[in-house]
Amino acid sequence: VLSNNNAIQPVFASIYEITGRYNLLIRRVQDNRDFTYFTCRELQASLVSKASVIKAIAPSQPLISGADSVIEGSDAVLTCSSSGGVEAPDTKWFTEGNPITVGVVESRNTNWKTDPGATSSSVLTLSKVTKDLHEKMYECRLNNTATSDLKATITLDVKYKPGTATSRGNVEVNEQETATLRCNHPSDRGNPRSTFKWFKGASDTPFTDESSATLTISSATVDNHDDTYRCTPTNSAGDGISASVTLTVRAKPAMSKYPTGIVDAINTQPLPDNVKCIDKAKPGSSYKWYLNGSEITGSNSIYQYSSSNSMSGKWTTTTSSLSWKSGSSEAQRKAGSGSVKCEATNTAGDDEKTFNINIQYKPGTATSGGNVKVNEEETATLRCNHPNDRGNPQSTFKWFKGDSNTPLTDQSSATLTISSATVDDHDDTYKCTPTNSAG
């Protein structure tokens, strides 16, 4: 018996107190059982009332689970869970000390009286998270009659792609040199910190497995490496915006066709078609020609040259042809023999070829050594004098009799000897004509 006529017995006075007529105040619950029963009796009226006191129990320490790591643009779903609790706890979410009410779905253990060990949970959904929420802390707090001090925290890890890369400039190298292409990381490298993918031309397949901001190409060639490259910042969340670096590979001229040895030309005819030099280069080459060590310029009275280009892919083929100077005379052209050099040059280097040209020209005017008289059956010796300029190659003679255009056979010297001359066969006028391969 705790009390009689509203008087608490002294042994219980520190714990219990009668308030009003029928109210029992319990200052602290010390019973180890979950439920303690109390009976109130109205002695005069024989009324009996029975009541129970439920001991409040704190739930377990809460845990936050779910997508603490989430890609930007997707939903982050955080679940705060705890078990037990009499009564089942209420859950509230906070960030930076501010309560969160939007996107919260709470699932309390409504059967806490009969199943006090079951789980209560609260789900917070953050829709389409942005990188601004990266490393932001979220907290769930639990409270019931027994406690208000239970809490759990989690720091959100938002994965987001990097920003825009920038180029550190285009690069030019000669063939077989090492090319170093560089890009700058974006000011925002994203989360996790970005690396690079390198692409060549329009390909969507990475050029190499290089992942740094520097791409090194050894022994660069025009065919394999001359192109525009893209450096794309990338991480597990996606790709940032690429930058472009143009690699220009230069190749010095390499001649594929050119005269060799000695080239014969006649001063009265166009130069042979093979007096030309052809090279392939990148960029296209320019030409200079030399005769006996002196450059052939516009003031040269014998020769001139012209060049033309044609493109094939990345390469330029240049053809440079030597010809007679427009308006040059046959006499001027006679001095065109000698050592000829064609030289092709571009920014990567040069190539040159040397050959000899031999200008052939016909001889000058012969003179007679005098008329000859002999008796029949005597030997007649007819003579001519070589021209002062015997031409090139050096001239010989052709001998003609009378009005015939057919030369006498086997007669090429300046002397024609007729043995046993007769009136019928030999008495006539003879012509000595100086001749060579030029005329």
Side-chain angles (χ1 to χ4, degrees):
V1 177
L2 291 176
S3 67
N4 187 18
N5 293 326
N6 291 337
I8 297 292
Q9 296 193 38
V11 69
F12 298 116
S14 63
I15 301 175
Y16 301 99
E17 179 184 352
I18 301 298
T19 61
R21 184 175 181 183
Y22 298 113
N23 299 326
L24 176 65
L25 174 64
I26 305 173
R27 291 193 175 90
R28 61 180 181 272
V29 177
Q30 294 178 329
D31 198 316
N32 290 328
R33 293 169 297 171
D34 288 341
F35 299 95
T36 301
Y37 294 92
F38 295 84
T39 302
C40 174
R41 293 179 180 178
E42 177 67 40
L43 297 179
Q44 294 179 352
S46 299
L47 297 175
V48 179
S49 176
K50 190 175 183 180
S52 62
V53 174
I54 301 173
K55 182 175 65 176
I57 301 174
S60 66
Q61 175 66 34
L63 295 174
I64 298 178
S65 61
D68 60 329
S69 180
V70 61
I71 295 177
E72 184 179 30
S74 60
D75 295 344
V77 180
L78 307 178
T79 302
C80 180
S81 302
S82 67
S83 60
V86 178
E87 59 188 320
D90 290 321
T91 304
K92 296 189 183 319
W93 287 91
F94 296 83
T95 180
E96 297 179 344
N98 300 313
I100 301 173
T101 57
V102 178
V104 176
V105 176
E106 190 165 4
S107 177
R108 297 182 66 205
N109 174 23
T110 56
N111 298 319
W112 57 271
K113 291 182 179 179
T114 58
D115 187 11
T119 298
S120 294
S121 64
S122 178
V123 177
L124 170 62
T125 300
L126 304 172
S127 299
K128 297 182 179 180
V129 297
T130 66
K131 64 182 181 181
D132 296 334
L133 299 184
H134 178 57
E135 295 186 338
K136 182 164 285 193
M137 182 178 292
Y138 290 84
E139 179 182 76
C140 67
R141 301 176 187 174
L142 273 61
N143 68 85
N144 67 359
T145 305
T147 184
S148 61
D149 295 330
L150 294 178
K151 64 181 68 174
T153 60
I154 192 170
T155 300
L156 199 62
D157 182 17
V158 179
K159 308 294 186 184
Y160 60 94
K161 62 186 181 181
T164 302
T166 55
S167 167
R168 294 179 62 179
N170 297 328
V171 177
E172 292 190 15
V173 297
N174 294 334
E175 275 205 315
Q176 302 307 317
E177 291 180 346
T178 296
T180 303
L181 284 63
R182 294 182 174 91
C183 281
N184 295 313
H185 284 286
S187 56
D188 185 351
R189 294 183 64 176
N191 179 42
R193 281 169 65 86
S194 61
T195 57
F196 276 104
K197 293 187 290 187
W198 287 89
F199 300 89
K200 176 177 177 282
S203 174
D204 292 326
T205 301
F207 178 63
T208 67
D209 57 2
E210 180 60 59
S211 60
S212 74
T214 300
L215 175 64
T216 300
I217 299 174
S218 302
S219 303
T221 65
V222 172
D223 291 332
N224 293 329
H225 303 113
D226 184 272
D227 215 322
T228 297
Y229 293 78
R230 288 175 288 128
C231 55
T232 302
T234 186
N235 62 15
S236 58
D239 294 341
I241 298 176
S242 303
S244 295
V245 181
T246 297
L247 172 59
T248 299
V249 181
R250 301 177 297 242
K252 69 178 185 178
M255 292 191 191
S256 57
K257 291 184 179 180
Y258 48 88
T260 58
I262 298 175
V263 175
D264 291 323
I266 298 174
N267 69 333
T268 58
Q269 299 176 12
L271 291 181
D273 186 60
N274 68 334
V275 186
K276 65 177 63 174
C277 293
I278 302 175
D279 78 274
K280 184 174 75 170
K282 184 178 180 295
S285 61
S286 60
Y287 268 85
K288 290 182 179 180
W289 288 76
Y290 298 83
L291 175 63
N292 297 322
S294 297
E295 184 179 352
I296 297 174
T297 65
S299 61
N300 188 278
S301 61
I302 302 173
Y303 294 114
Q304 63 185 20
Y305 63 90
S306 61
S307 302
S308 61
N309 297 327
S310 64
M311 294 287 296
S312 178
K314 301 173 183 178
W315 294 92
T316 299
T317 297
T318 303
T319 300
S320 187
S321 302
L322 190 67
S323 62
W324 297 120
K325 178 67 175 289
S326 177
S328 61
S329 66
E330 295 177 6
Q332 289 173 318
R333 296 173 184 177
K334 291 179 183 180
S337 294
S339 175
V340 176
K341 180 176 71 174
C342 61
E343 179 184 77
T345 304
N346 70 1
T347 53
D350 58 64
D351 191 16
E352 61 181 42
K353 300 299 177 183
T354 301
F355 61 97
N356 289 310
I357 190 165
N358 179 40
I359 304 303
Q360 299 179 353
Y361 56 93
K362 63 187 179 180
T365 302
T367 57
S368 171
N371 296 326
V372 176
K373 293 182 180 181
V374 296
N375 296 326
E376 273 199 322
E377 301 302 327
E378 289 180 350
T379 297
T381 302
L382 286 63
R383 292 181 173 87
C384 277
N385 298 312
H386 283 288
N388 292 331
D389 184 353
R390 294 184 63 177
N392 181 36
Q394 198 170 63
S395 62
T396 58
F397 277 102
K398 291 189 291 186
W399 287 89
F400 299 87
K401 176 175 176 278
D403 295 328
S404 175
N405 292 323
T406 301
L408 300 176
T409 60
D410 300 326
Q411 300 293 327
S412 60
S413 71
T415 301
L416 175 63
T417 301
I418 300 174
S419 301
S420 303
T422 65
V423 173
D424 292 333
D425 294 333
H426 302 109
D427 186 89
D428 212 327
T429 298
Y430 291 79
K431 289 183 297 181
C432 57
T433 302
T435 186
N436 63 13
S437 56

